[in-house]
Amino acid sequence: MLNILQAEHLKYRRSFSVKLVWAAPLFIVLFALVALLFLPQGESIPGSLFLSMVFNWWPFVFVPLGTALLCALAEVRERKAGSYRGLRLHNIHPYALWFGKIAVLAYYMLLSSLGTIVTVLIAGLLVTGGILPVGKVVSASLLVWLVSLGLIPLQLLAAAWKGMAASIGLGVAGMFAGVLTAPKPNWLYVPWSWPLRLMSPVAGVNPNGVPLLPGDPLLDTSVIPAGIAVSLLFFAACSWLTGVWFARREVK
């Protein structure tokens, strides 16, 4: 399995996917610089407001679309290399190939989340006039990554089954489904809503982007362990089921 992970990792060297992983967090710094231009001299954005904006847009836009694009690009590379024909000539179980791809994509999404932590702290120094709570920034970034893992096998399935357009289309549809469902009681049934819903008590922001007032039901922290448990179970089940599909499909 280690050899599969190393081989999968080599595919990303000098690729657009790696640039995307690091470019996405830089939009946070760009946002901070633009906001700085429009702030009156001597004024700053409250740290809580800045965090609510960042951790609403990150799980709403960058996570679903970024995951969709990374998975689509991974499948494009495989199709250009022969649609797994060369790999299947070796004595390697298709499950291992599929799980290796999921694991490496999860690793690159983690790198992007770590980059988010750094850029949020840097951008926060520029626009808030003070030091942001490091613990909250770290926990929010890693929590978004953790509960978004289940999107990887879903998006890979869409890309491998129907191509890049299907993966991007699913990501866009999921993005809007997530923000519409996150504040509702049935949010647990929509994987794209999990990071948005869990950011409500962590960052104090409504999934629609509006800061929450004290006492709002969306600030209830009991949703965090429930969201983590459901997302990890979904990730395991979805990885296994999509692995079964991948192992049984014919190489075209």
Side-chain angles (χ1 to χ4, degrees):
M1 189 63 186
L2 182 60
N3 290 336
I4 293 175
L5 293 175
Q6 291 175 339
E8 190 67 32
H9 179 69
L10 285 174
K11 298 175 186 177
Y12 290 82
R13 294 184 64 181
R14 299 183 180 88
S15 68
F16 176 73
S17 296
V18 175
K19 296 180 177 66
L20 177 66
V21 163
W22 296 114
L26 292 178
F27 278 97
I28 298 171
V29 175
L30 180 62
F31 162 79
L33 293 175
V34 172
L36 199 61
L37 293 176
F38 290 95
L39 284 174
Q41 189 173 5
E43 294 292 327
S44 61
I45 298 175
S48 59
L49 179 60
F50 177 69
L51 283 182
S52 67
M53 287 189 295
V54 168
F55 289 108
N56 177 254
W57 281 96
W58 183 254
F60 170 49
V61 177
F62 293 105
V63 168
L65 293 186
T67 305
L69 188 54
L70 281 176
C71 293
L73 291 172
E75 182 59 23
V76 167
R77 280 193 297 273
E78 294 296 349
R79 294 191 178 190
K80 288 183 177 179
S83 297
Y84 301 98
R85 289 189 184 92
L87 292 174
R88 290 199 172 187
L89 290 175
H90 300 281
N91 187 24
I92 303 173
H93 200 285
Y95 283 116
L97 294 175
W98 188 254
F99 295 153
K101 190 173 293 294
I102 291 174
V104 171
L105 284 168
Y107 164 75
Y108 277 103
M109 287 178 61
L110 176 60
L111 289 183
S112 190
S113 296
L114 296 177
T116 301
I117 294 171
V118 174
T119 53
V120 167
L121 294 175
I122 293 173
L125 291 175
L126 295 175
V127 299
T128 65
I131 299 176
L132 291 173
V134 178
K136 182 173 286 189
V137 172
V138 172
S139 61
S141 299
L142 295 181
L143 186 58
V144 169
W145 169 76
L146 185 66
V147 298
S148 301
L149 289 175
L151 300 181
I152 297 175
L154 272 183
Q155 295 291 167
L156 267 180
L157 173 65
W161 184 25
K162 293 294 183 181
M164 185 174 188
S167 180
I168 301 298
L170 180 61
V172 173
M175 179 179 71
F176 288 106
V179 74
L180 292 173
T181 311
K184 299 179 180 179
N186 61 340
W187 65 275
L188 275 174
Y189 299 106
V190 181
W192 289 269
S193 73
W194 299 338
L196 282 167
R197 180 63 184 88
L198 268 58
M199 285 304 98
S200 293
V202 173
V205 59
N206 191 297
N208 63 14
V210 177
L212 296 171
L213 298 175
D216 194 293
L218 291 177
L219 292 172
D220 180 13
T221 57
S222 66
V223 301
I224 297 177
I228 293 174
V230 170
S231 64
L232 291 180
L233 287 173
F234 178 82
F235 175 55
C238 196
S239 297
W240 178 72
L241 289 172
T242 55
V244 170
W245 170 85
F246 179 76
R248 292 181 177 178
R249 77 167 185 167
E250 294 182 0
V251 179
K252 298 181 179 180

